[in-house]
Amino acid sequence: MAPDSTQVIQSKGKYLGLPTFPSSLKNLRAIVAGANGISGQHMLRALSEEPERWSRIYALSRRPPLEAASLGPIVKHLAVDFLSTPEEIAKTLQEENVQADYVFFFSYLQPAPKPGQSLWSNAEEMCEVNGRLLQNFLTALTISSIKPNRIVLQTGLKNYGGHLGPVNTPHHESDPRITLEPNFYYPQEDILAAHCAQNSSRWNVIRPSFILGAVKDAAMNLVYPLAVYAAVQSHLKQPLVFPGDFAAWDKEQIQSSAMLNSYMSEWAALTPEAENHAFNAGDAFPFTWSRFWPVLAGWYGVGWAPPDEDAEYKTMQSPHAPRGYGPPGVIRYTYLLTSWARQPAVQQAWSDLSKQHNLTQSPFATDADIDRLFSFTEMALIVSWPWQYSVDKARGMGWHGYVNSWEVIRDVVGELGKLGMVPPMPVGVGEGEGGMVRKESK
């Protein structure tokens, strides 16, 4: 039995149970690789909140993070393409005399899917390109004689194979790899472990679920398509109609707020006992569509419709049964978000909203944009099996972070509005739930 101990935790706004660190941890230097994405930008925010602890943060990405200039002089952007050679990356690091005690790696590329196939159908290409991103960067660190104390790699939910079919839940970090199809998370973890073993560094892997955050590049963003859908339905005075069946409606699906993920990444990096461990990252907030859908409707002042048992459903079957027994998963849906987005009335409504609110970008610009942006949220809505993490491993090492996912989603919609990506929520609504649309009796 472990001896009794006392921990001091803190809150930062809605983020509760966050760790505290010794005051002796100061003047640390960090690299945030992939700094202009949803996770990288929030990592910059988290670290820059503590300028005494983090005296220099290098933000590495091809384009500058949108808010880098507002984070103060401790953040310095370096234009780096991780698909260039390690020597070219190292040249940039050496010219800027970069040194780093800690590294947080978020860089990720999503190659275009195979024609007519799902978002992650190009598994082999994803392995090749994302493995190369990480290997090039780590090799550049070696060339530049940069030996961090800890390198933190973010991967994600697909580690457990739920994108291929039903798996046992809740997911534990010790669950075996699912090798039915290539998964770039696995070679990335191997590349990182090998580098650290050869260079006397330590590593962490952080595995979030659906990441909640607002950035200009909205690919793989759960909230952006939801906000677009709700805004258009509100404009058309139509209810929010859930596209899946009751299994999808009731499934548990943990969310992972980008800011809480960042606080956890910092905790993992600075906690000696956490070295060389992977951790699931989630909000620790119970989330189902059956509870959130009415809340979303309430924010936009419209009604909502649950699954209709008498509706005509289309079906899809998962390609595998990843847990090794039992049937493949069956997905039943009445419509797809990508099909909704192609409706002329929907696109006209967005055009009207864009003019009314001076929006800066359209998710409907091309067919490729529609598939790239809406298919991710579409999958989250209609998949019928649960995606649920255990965070017990991190709790056992002293992590107690928590946030209400509903509150974060509302904040993200507000931030997307400030970025000119979605209209603001209607004034005067937003509390409670929208009213359920009752089906007329026959």
Side-chain angles (χ1 to χ4, degrees):
M1 180 180 293
D4 293 345
S5 63
T6 299
Q7 283 183 266
V8 178
I9 58 175
Q10 63 176 324
S11 298
K12 293 185 177 182
K14 63 176 59 63
Y15 298 96
L16 311 178
L18 301 179
T20 58
F21 300 100
S23 58
S24 58
L25 280 174
K26 58 177 59 176
N27 296 322
L28 302 177
R29 302 157 298 179
I31 291 174
V32 177
N36 63 346
I38 187 171
S39 295
Q41 290 205 37
H42 286 82
M43 193 76 234
L44 292 177
R45 286 189 200 178
L47 299 182
S48 64
E49 288 177 352
E50 304 293 342
E52 290 191 7
R53 185 153 64 239
W54 301 98
S55 60
R56 171 60 77 189
I57 305 166
Y58 295 99
L60 273 55
S61 55
R62 286 180 296 176
R63 300 180 305 278
L66 187 65
E67 58 184 41
S70 68
L71 296 176
I74 64 172
V75 177
K76 182 178 180 61
H77 175 252
L78 303 181
V80 174
D81 182 353
F82 295 118
L83 289 181
S84 59
T85 66
E87 290 75 18
E88 291 172 310
I89 299 169
K91 183 174 183 291
T92 300
L93 299 177
Q94 291 166 343
E95 287 175 348
E96 296 292 339
N97 194 30
V98 173
Q99 290 298 321
D101 305 296
Y102 298 88
V103 169
F104 303 90
F105 190 89
F106 303 103
S107 187
Y108 167 79
L109 278 178
Q110 174 68 52
K114 296 176 181 178
Q117 297 192 30
S118 67
L119 183 64
W120 294 309
S121 59
N122 47 8
E124 296 88 352
E125 186 178 356
M126 290 176 69
C127 282
E128 190 281 325
V129 70
N130 287 291
R132 184 152 45 98
L133 285 175
L134 179 59
Q135 185 65 73
N136 287 350
F137 170 69
L138 295 177
T139 302
L141 293 184
T142 300
I143 294 171
S144 304
S145 299
I146 299 173
K147 293 187 176 183
N149 298 326
R150 196 78 62 88
I151 302 174
V152 180
L153 168 69
Q154 180 174 286
T155 59
L157 181 70
K158 295 194 300 296
N159 183 84
Y160 300 106
H163 60 301
L164 302 176
V167 292
N168 290 329
T169 58
H171 306 308
H172 291 264
E173 292 89 345
S174 58
D175 288 350
R177 291 179 174 182
I178 304 297
T179 57
L180 296 167
E181 293 184 6
N183 186 329
F184 75 89
Y185 294 161
Y186 304 156
Q188 278 197 327
E189 288 190 3
D190 295 341
I191 289 167
L192 176 61
H195 173 86
C196 289
Q198 294 164 6
N199 292 274
S200 301
S201 293
R202 301 292 183 266
W203 57 266
N204 287 109
V205 175
I206 305 298
R207 298 170 180 165
S209 179
F210 294 93
I211 299 175
L212 309 178
V215 290
K216 270 288 188 182
D217 184 0
M220 311 291 284
N221 189 322
L222 177 78
V223 179
Y224 180 50
L226 278 181
V228 170
Y229 172 70
V232 168
Q233 293 297 96
S234 177
H235 182 75
L236 294 173
K237 297 180 170 50
Q238 296 292 321
L240 307 188
V241 180
F242 190 75
D245 63 5
F246 274 105
W249 179 248
D250 290 325
K251 71 176 179 288
E252 291 187 59
Q253 184 173 296
I254 194 168
Q255 307 298 319
S256 298
S257 301
M259 203 66 194
L260 194 65
N261 298 343
S262 299
Y263 292 136
M264 182 188 220
S265 296
E266 182 187 29
W267 165 82
L270 297 180
T271 300
E273 296 80 8
E275 69 177 34
N276 298 342
H277 282 282
F279 296 103
N280 293 334
D283 290 348
F285 177 84
F287 186 97
T288 63
W289 293 110
S290 61
R291 297 309 302 262
F292 177 68
W293 202 250
V295 172
L296 180 63
W299 293 346
Y300 282 87
V302 296
W304 57 274
D308 182 353
E309 292 182 84
D310 297 325
E312 183 177 340
Y313 283 89
K314 301 179 179 66
T315 62
M316 293 187 289
Q317 183 171 289
S318 69
H320 304 284
R323 61 182 158 198
Y325 59 89
V330 175
I331 298 171
R332 301 169 68 238
Y333 61 93
T334 53
Y335 74 94
L336 294 174
L337 209 54
T338 47
S339 300
W340 171 88
R342 289 182 165 89
Q343 295 177 15
V346 167
Q347 298 191 8
Q348 181 58 53
W350 186 258
S351 178
D352 296 341
L353 288 167
S354 294
K355 292 173 185 176
Q356 182 181 347
H357 299 286
N358 297 313
L359 303 182
T360 59
Q361 64 189 64
S362 172
F364 308 103
T366 67
D367 273 356
D369 282 333
I370 289 173
D371 289 335
R372 182 174 67 93
L373 297 173
F374 286 91
S375 59
F376 184 71
T377 300
E378 174 180 280
M379 178 189 64
L381 289 170
I382 66 174
V383 161
S384 58
W385 49 91
W387 288 344
Q388 185 68 7
Y389 279 155
S390 167
V391 293
D392 286 354
K393 179 180 177 181
R395 284 195 182 114
M397 292 190 185
W399 168 256
H400 305 290
Y402 167 87
V403 70
N404 183 314
S405 301
W406 294 358
E407 292 182 12
V408 174
I409 292 173
R410 181 158 184 169
D411 284 353
V412 170
V413 174
E415 290 186 49
L416 292 171
K418 292 176 182 177
L419 292 171
M421 296 171 64
V422 299
M425 287 183 190
V427 177
V429 299
E431 298 300 328
E433 299 180 355
M436 187 174 80
V437 177
R438 299 287 179 177
K439 186 177 64 172
E440 294 183 5
S441 58
K442 296 180 180 178

